[in-house]
Amino acid sequence: MKTRDKILLSSLELFNERGERNVTTNHIAAHLAISPGNLYYHFRNKSDIIYEIFLEYEKLVDFYLDIPENRPITLEDLTFYLESVFDGLWSYRFFHRDLEYLLDSDLRLRTDYREFTERCLAAISRIFEKLADAGIIEPQPEELRFAMSLNVWLVITNWMAYLKTAHASEGHGSLNLTHLKQGIYQVLTLEIPYLTAEYREQVMQLREKYRPELPAALGNFDGRVLSQK
Amino acid sequence: MKTRDKILLSSLELFNERGERNVTTNHIAAHLAISPGNLYYHFRNKSDIIYEIFLEYEKLVDFYLDIPENRPITLEDLTFYLESVFDGLWSYRFFHRDLEYLLDSDLRLRTDYREFTERCLAAISRIFEKLADAGIIEPQPEELRFAMSLNVWLVITNWMAYLKTAHASEGHGSLNLTHLKQGIYQVLTLEIPYLTAEYREQVMQLREKYRPELPAALGNFDGRVLSQK
């Protein structure tokens, strides 16, 4: 692996583990056992590293959200999109944590992130449209579909922050990919009222696989629900 | 006004304007033209100030979300809850920006914030229940109601971050309370499929008042929708 790629990989690892704010270029160089000078040969500063990592994240999500236009989409596709988006969020989890700060510090990133958001929203909206074409959900007027896509985006991008702030008594390390993917339950909740009779049971079963097991509010709630049954 | 209260008020103002991370206790003392010693007489450190501000925020939201148990709730109540919650988010807007960092730095805050979230989720769920009692929405099973309440919470608490990151070309000062309250449109979107025939038109009209005018994706989208009409 080239030094440049090693730097990106180690940086991502350190940012995710310790939080971007707590990691300097010196930490990254030390972690790789290279000199700071060597690091600066490849990247002018931390912002440049973060920007390159964002470009990779963007490429990954664009790849995942490439929607087939020559065939109807299936429930398997939907599952793949949802799983992939949460995989991406996990792999680049430092990014959404300090997003506003990162965007304030780098104009390129700010502009690119806005376009990235727009592309993601358009992709979500297109998925809703194709789900309707495939008879999985009822068709929706364009305007409602867009407002729903934005809600899907808001739920997805806020889920990790919710887990971290709601799991108040636990440490950093407690959050894992399984918890994160339970956000899929919340996303599918948004679609329930629009499901067609034909697919309702299948989607509800899929959703059930991701039911959150939260120690906080939701946990108590579930306990109550179960005990009443 | 007592010095202690002046310190809290000025701190809140400075945190909201400049971001909590960029404001030190020295800035606050200078802003009030008091000595740092005088400030430290009232608060040991910035964390103590933030904690006291959180307690006020919490009191405010608890006051707003006090649900009448002796009468049915109305659409006016719902409007009041939504307006108030976004007013609160605006008045204490620094808080949600760096929430994870703030909670990591103060264990009391972390524990209190978790309980606060649980109370808010229970209040949202109770509002759904009373909206069903009042015939405004169709009744929902407890479990769905809770998942929906969590989605409402995720949409509300992520709306400001979305605006800030989607309005990428604009500066800090561009976000105002009107933009923020357009989040109500997104929250009401979640309720559309559950509205009863009797109230549907009224709620849709209420929602229309908050339609976002976003320069980014949604703006383009609306333009397209309008031009097709």
Side-chain angles (χ1 to χ4, degrees):
Chain A
M1 192 187 272
K2 288 180 187 164
T3 307
R4 189 174 183 285
D5 295 334
K6 277 191 200 160
I7 294 170
L8 290 176
L9 201 68
S10 287
S11 301
L12 177 58
E13 210 179 295
L14 292 173
F15 292 160
N16 279 339
E17 267 171 27
R18 303 183 197 169
E20 173 273 330
R21 212 190 297 193
N22 302 315
V23 177
T24 65
T25 45
N26 282 342
H27 290 132
I28 300 164
H31 186 79
L32 283 165
I34 63 173
S35 70
N38 194 354
L39 187 144
Y40 289 120
Y41 174 79
H42 295 281
F43 297 96
R44 275 181 315 163
N45 49 42
K46 201 167 79 170
S47 279
D48 279 354
I49 298 177
I50 293 168
Y51 185 67
E52 288 299 321
I53 291 177
F54 168 72
L55 293 180
E56 289 183 5
Y57 176 47
E58 204 180 13
K59 246 186 272 171
L60 184 78
V61 176
D62 285 344
F63 173 76
Y64 284 154
L65 292 182
D66 185 32
I67 302 155
E69 288 300 337
N70 56 348
R71 61 167 180 86
I73 69 171
T74 63
L75 269 190
E76 287 65 43
D77 290 320
L78 179 64
T79 311
F80 173 78
Y81 297 139
L82 288 166
E83 286 267 347
S84 304
V85 162
F86 281 92
D87 277 331
L89 274 178
W90 178 255
S91 303
Y92 294 86
R93 60 192 174 279
F94 84 93
F95 190 71
H96 279 275
R97 172 168 186 172
D98 266 327
L99 186 58
E100 283 181 51
Y101 178 79
L102 295 177
L103 300 191
D104 277 351
S105 327
D106 189 338
L107 189 65
R108 284 173 307 183
L109 192 60
R110 203 169 167 68
T111 311
D112 286 15
Y113 184 78
R114 177 164 87 167
E115 285 166 16
F116 171 70
T117 303
E118 286 181 34
R119 280 205 309 285
C120 290
L121 286 172
I124 297 169
S125 184
R126 184 73 188 123
I127 291 169
F128 274 127
E129 208 170 14
K130 293 211 58 155
L131 284 171
D133 291 347
I136 298 172
I137 62 169
E138 301 292 346
Q140 294 151 13
E142 189 176 27
E143 207 181 325
L144 175 61
R145 196 169 66 235
F146 191 79
M148 278 186 65
S149 304
L150 186 47
N151 278 343
V152 167
W153 178 255
L154 293 168
V155 166
I156 288 174
T157 55
N158 201 18
W159 179 246
M160 184 146 44
Y162 170 73
L163 285 179
K164 282 191 181 172
T165 56
H167 282 243
S169 60
E170 299 171 35
H172 264 279
S174 66
L175 184 65
N176 61 40
L177 184 56
T178 306
H179 293 134
L180 190 66
K181 286 198 175 170
Q182 289 167 350
I184 295 176
Y185 183 89
Q186 291 300 127
V187 175
L188 290 176
T189 299
L190 297 173
E191 299 180 17
I192 291 177
Y194 301 97
L195 295 171
T196 58
E198 204 184 335
Y199 280 91
R200 191 179 168 82
E201 205 40 57
Q202 278 183 70
V203 177
M204 294 304 276
Q205 276 175 24
L206 173 66
R207 175 171 172 265
E208 204 51 39
K209 285 189 202 158
Y210 299 100
R211 175 193 286 272
E213 302 159 38
L214 298 176
L218 199 53
N220 297 334
F221 231 90
D222 280 357
R224 250 200 293 151
V225 174
L226 288 173
S227 68
Q228 280 172 1
K229 275 178 188 164
Chain B
M1 193 189 264
K2 286 180 190 165
T3 305
R4 189 174 184 282
D5 295 333
K6 277 189 200 162
I7 294 171
L8 291 177
L9 202 66
S10 288
S11 302
L12 177 58
E13 213 178 294
L14 293 172
F15 292 159
N16 279 339
E17 269 170 28
R18 303 183 195 169
E20 173 274 327
R21 211 189 296 192
N22 302 315
V23 176
T24 65
T25 47
N26 281 345
H27 291 132
I28 299 164
H31 186 79
L32 284 166
I34 64 173
S35 69
N38 194 353
L39 187 146
Y40 288 121
Y41 173 79
H42 296 282
F43 298 97
R44 276 180 314 162
N45 49 43
K46 199 165 82 168
S47 279
D48 279 354
I49 297 178
I50 294 166
Y51 184 66
E52 287 299 320
I53 291 177
F54 167 71
L55 294 180
E56 289 184 7
Y57 176 48
E58 201 182 15
K59 244 187 270 171
L60 184 78
V61 177
D62 284 344
F63 173 76
Y64 284 153
L65 293 182
D66 184 32
I67 300 156
E69 288 300 338
N70 56 347
R71 61 167 180 85
I73 68 169
T74 62
L75 270 191
E76 287 66 43
D77 290 320
L78 179 63
T79 311
F80 173 79
Y81 296 140
L82 289 165
E83 286 266 345
S84 304
V85 162
F86 281 91
D87 277 330
L89 275 178
W90 178 255
S91 302
Y92 294 86
R93 61 190 174 279
F94 83 92
F95 190 70
H96 279 275
R97 173 168 184 170
D98 267 327
L99 186 59
E100 281 180 52
Y101 177 79
L102 295 176
L103 300 191
D104 276 352
S105 328
D106 188 340
L107 188 66
R108 284 174 306 182
L109 193 60
R110 205 168 164 70
T111 312
D112 285 15
Y113 185 79
R114 176 161 90 164
E115 285 167 16
F116 172 69
T117 303
E118 286 180 34
R119 279 205 310 285
C120 289
L121 286 172
I124 298 169
S125 182
R126 184 71 188 123
I127 290 170
F128 273 125
E129 205 169 17
K130 293 212 56 157
L131 284 171
D133 291 346
I136 298 172
I137 62 169
E138 302 293 346
Q140 295 151 13
E142 189 175 26
E143 209 181 321
L144 175 60
R145 197 168 64 235
F146 190 78
M148 279 187 64
S149 304
L150 185 48
N151 278 342
V152 167
W153 178 254
L154 293 169
V155 166
I156 289 175
T157 54
N158 202 16
W159 179 246
M160 185 145 44
Y162 169 73
L163 285 180
K164 283 190 182 171
T165 57
H167 283 241
S169 60
E170 300 170 33
H172 261 281
S174 67
L175 184 64
N176 61 41
L177 183 55
T178 305
H179 293 132
L180 189 67
K181 286 198 174 169
Q182 289 166 350
I184 294 175
Y185 184 89
Q186 292 300 126
V187 175
L188 290 177
T189 299
L190 298 173
E191 300 180 16
I192 292 177
Y194 301 97
L195 294 171
T196 59
E198 203 185 336
Y199 280 92
R200 189 174 170 85
E201 205 40 56
Q202 279 182 71
V203 177
M204 293 306 274
Q205 276 175 26
L206 173 67
R207 175 172 173 265
E208 204 51 40
K209 286 189 202 159
Y210 299 99
R211 173 195 285 272
E213 303 158 39
L214 298 176
L218 200 53
N220 299 336
F221 230 91
D222 280 357
R224 247 200 295 152
V225 173
L226 288 172
S227 68
Q228 281 172 0
K229 277 181 185 160

